[in-house]
Amino acid sequence: MSPENATDKTVIWTSTKPAVATVDENGKVITVKAGTTTIRATTKDGEKFATCQIIVSGGAIAVTGVKLDKTTAELEEGKSVELKATVAPENATDNAITWKSTDEKVATVDANGKVTAVKAGKATITVITKDGAKKATCEVTVKEKEPLKAAKATTTLKNGTKEVIAITGGTAPYTIKTGLDDTKATAIIKDDKNVEITAKADSGEVVVTVVDADNAEATITVTLEAAPEITFDKMSTNTPEWGELIFINGDTDNAKRTKFHWNRKYRGYRP
């Protein structure tokens, strides 16, 4: 600084890019990461200045922290979720991480952060950075798997009729167990969550078995009955050729009156 006998020799130090290198009040420069910055010394008296360009080469960049995309997770037994870890800064030299579970009987975790629920309970999944041993955790709650179940365990169907019964729980996809006598009834999985049963016989009993991906089973016992006979209770004589015929479904518990047109000459009928 000149002159040597200046009254105020105070100097203010600044860095144009503190993220690359910082400078303290005594002019001491500390590098932070690779890059280029300019250190400036400015006199308080007269605002004279001088600069120095600092180039920081690519040395080791330390890990400052790690985060997980989830801090809690709830899983059903047998299900899984993949946790994603983010190491800071992005350009850390060593961003290697390891995973561990506090209770592998409840939930396990692999080298990629995939958590698999084993049985009901709670476990803490922890990710740890190799550099700096920074940590982040996710609390995992495992629930018991809902058992495979049909909405109805028994039903009665008349020959030619069908019924759709909902299936819940278990592990999809569902299938129909082989061995069903298709001369008496057929069954198919519908919309991935229902079983449709069609009766094909006038009497007897069949058992439809639904199987899930884990080979768990749910059964539906189907009682078969004959279709009702149609009986006629009235014929009108409004026209010479076509008369209006009303019949009652023989199932008196669910009687329905329906109109048909009857041609007496040709002994045929149509709706």
Side-chain angles (χ1 to χ4, degrees):
M1 180 180 293
S2 61
E4 291 184 1
N5 62 345
T7 303
D8 189 350
K9 294 184 178 182
T10 304
V11 176
I12 300 170
W13 296 88
T14 58
S15 170
T16 57
K17 291 184 180 179
V20 174
T22 61
V23 61
D24 66 13
E25 60 185 9
N26 298 312
K28 182 179 179 180
V29 177
I30 300 175
T31 60
V32 179
K33 70 175 184 178
T36 302
T37 187
T38 299
I39 303 300
R40 176 170 171 157
T42 306
T43 63
K44 186 176 180 181
D45 177 17
E47 296 187 355
K48 305 298 181 179
F49 67 89
T51 62
C52 177
Q53 186 181 61
I54 302 293
I55 299 174
V56 182
S57 59
I61 299 173
V63 170
T64 59
V66 63
K67 291 183 179 180
L68 288 174
D69 62 332
K70 293 181 177 65
T71 56
T72 61
E74 187 172 277
L75 297 172
E76 189 179 80
E77 290 174 340
K79 301 295 184 179
S80 62
V81 65
E82 188 165 330
L83 299 178
K84 295 181 180 179
T86 303
V87 175
E90 292 183 1
N91 61 339
T93 302
D94 186 354
N95 59 5
I97 55 176
T98 57
W99 300 84
K100 70 175 184 179
S101 169
T102 57
D103 192 344
E104 294 192 342
K105 292 181 180 179
V106 173
T108 61
V109 61
D110 67 12
N112 298 312
K114 181 180 180 181
V115 179
T116 302
V118 180
K119 73 171 185 178
K122 293 186 177 183
T124 300
I125 304 301
T126 303
V127 61
I128 308 170
T129 64
K130 183 179 179 181
D131 176 18
K134 306 298 183 182
K135 299 178 181 180
T137 60
C138 176
E139 301 297 326
V140 176
T141 301
V142 178
K143 302 185 301 180
E144 288 186 6
K145 181 169 65 175
E146 183 183 353
L148 182 66
K149 184 179 179 181
K152 294 174 68 174
T154 62
T155 190
T156 299
L157 290 177
K158 292 177 172 55
N159 191 358
T161 63
K162 63 179 63 176
E163 183 175 0
V164 176
I165 298 174
I167 303 297
T168 58
T171 304
Y174 307 127
T175 57
I176 302 298
K177 188 174 183 178
T178 58
L180 179 64
D181 185 350
D182 59 10
T183 64
K184 292 185 176 181
T186 59
I188 60 171
I189 297 298
K190 192 171 184 180
D191 301 326
D192 299 323
K193 59 183 178 180
N194 303 302
V195 57
E196 182 181 88
I197 304 170
T198 303
K200 300 180 70 176
D202 289 339
S203 62
E205 187 177 273
V206 295
V207 176
V208 175
T209 302
V210 178
V211 183
D212 74 358
D214 295 327
N215 292 319
E217 297 183 354
T219 60
I220 303 169
T221 301
V222 183
T223 301
L224 304 170
E225 295 182 349
E229 294 182 0
I230 296 175
T231 57
F232 304 106
D233 69 345
K234 179 182 178 182
M235 178 179 288
S236 68
T237 55
N238 295 333
T239 62
E241 296 295 335
W242 292 96
E244 186 180 79
L245 181 69
I246 300 174
F247 75 86
I248 296 179
N249 186 320
D251 180 2
T252 55
D253 292 333
N254 298 287
K256 294 181 180 179
R257 300 177 69 87
T258 306
K259 292 183 179 180
F260 278 79
H261 291 87
W262 177 264
N263 185 300
R264 288 166 292 183
K265 179 178 179 181
Y266 298 106
R267 295 184 180 276
Y269 66 89
R270 60 183 175 81

